[in-house]
Amino acid sequence: MNDPGPVGQGVDVDPAAGASDAAGTASDGGPVRVLIVDDDPLVRAGLSMILGGVPDLRVVGEAADGSEVPAAVDTGRPDVVLMDIRMPRLDGLAATEALRASPDPPEVLVLTTFHADEQVLRALRAGASGFLLKDTPPGEIVQAVRRVAAGEATLSPAVTRALIAHVTGATPAPTGPDPRRERALRLLSTLSEREREVAVALGEGRTNAEIAAELYMSVATVKAYVSRLLSRLDLNNRVQVALLVHDAGLV
């Protein structure tokens, strides 16, 4: 398939883009509701065009700044928020942190460039389910929104590994007590041996299928373990588990 082009370039989009994935479904069984947050009107228009042409997705609102997010969420009741990082008044990082701290929040996909790794890391720690590069092809944007709505992180294993490698290389080894490492080790110590093995595999950026093969489980069992980990560790998604494992120094 030819690359249909990046966000905001006015390309024609096949409504069936990403049809190889399961159709998106909101918690109420209807189309996935999406809120677009970006200070660039051309980016918002491009994303609206891409997502509005897909039958199982529905754009329920737009916002030009993070400060507009609470009202837009109250009005549109989105399942997924596409959140830009750099905005003039309230940036996407602060908006994500506030949104994910609210009761029953929507999932958040951060829009960024991979040159801002520390910002991406902060967004993921705040509870974002992943990120999209602003030049992501339309079909992949559709697939990412569907995956997030289904409760899956949008970071591919390769990107997870690259992000953690960047953080590892950019962060000097602590010379004294490290509260983040101590907290991570304390949380992980509450897990069973099998749960810990699954957590470490997530930290290595492995897919459910790869974990199943490595640990001699079914994929369904791996999914059950991941759900259990999220509950026991009080985390939002598997990317946060990977970051916790990294903080503990296990990968």
Side-chain angles (χ1 to χ4, degrees):
M1 180 182 294
N2 293 330
D3 184 345
V7 173
Q9 289 193 355
V11 295
D12 293 331
V13 179
D14 182 354
S20 61
D21 282 12
T25 305
S27 57
D28 61 2
V32 173
R33 300 166 66 84
V34 184
L35 171 67
I36 299 170
V37 184
D38 197 294
D39 65 332
D40 187 335
L42 291 179
V43 172
R44 295 200 306 273
L47 289 168
S48 292
M49 179 186 67
I50 291 167
L51 302 177
V54 181
D56 58 307
L57 305 180
R58 179 184 173 193
V59 177
V60 296
E62 298 181 10
D65 189 78
S67 61
E68 300 174 7
V69 169
V73 168
D74 286 344
T75 300
R77 300 295 179 185
D79 302 296
V80 178
V81 177
L82 291 179
M83 184 83 75
D84 186 23
I85 285 184
R86 297 182 179 179
M87 292 180 285
R89 293 185 295 278
L90 185 70
D91 66 34
L93 299 175
T96 296
E97 290 171 343
L99 183 59
R100 291 299 301 174
S102 65
D104 194 24
E107 301 295 337
V108 176
L109 266 174
V110 173
L111 294 168
T112 184
T113 67
F114 199 60
H115 301 293
D117 303 280
E118 291 82 3
Q119 293 179 322
V120 170
L121 181 65
R122 179 180 159 193
L124 295 174
R125 291 191 188 282
S129 294
F131 71 91
L132 292 175
L133 303 182
K134 286 197 173 183
D135 60 356
T136 299
E140 293 181 18
I141 295 175
V142 170
Q143 292 172 14
V145 171
R146 287 170 172 164
R147 286 197 299 270
V148 166
E152 302 175 15
T154 64
L155 289 177
S156 69
V159 172
T160 299
R161 286 191 288 266
L163 180 61
I164 291 176
H166 169 85
V167 174
T168 302
T171 305
T175 57
D178 183 351
R180 180 171 285 171
R181 183 174 187 272
E182 291 173 359
R183 173 183 175 274
L185 287 170
R186 185 175 65 254
L187 286 171
L188 293 172
S189 71
T190 66
L191 304 178
S192 69
E193 181 178 353
R194 202 60 159 167
E195 288 169 341
R196 189 182 176 95
E197 289 176 338
V198 173
V200 170
L202 291 176
E204 294 170 340
R206 300 190 186 280
T207 65
N208 287 345
E210 289 170 340
I211 296 172
E214 180 180 337
L215 300 181
Y216 303 101
M217 299 177 174
S218 68
V219 171
T221 300
V222 173
K223 290 181 179 179
Y225 267 100
V226 172
S227 296
R228 192 182 309 166
L229 286 171
L230 297 179
S231 177
R232 293 196 61 176
L233 298 172
D234 193 25
L235 298 175
N236 294 302
N237 56 60
R238 62 195 289 141
V239 178
Q240 288 185 320
V241 177
L243 293 172
L244 189 72
V245 170
H246 162 70
D247 288 343
L250 301 183
V251 293

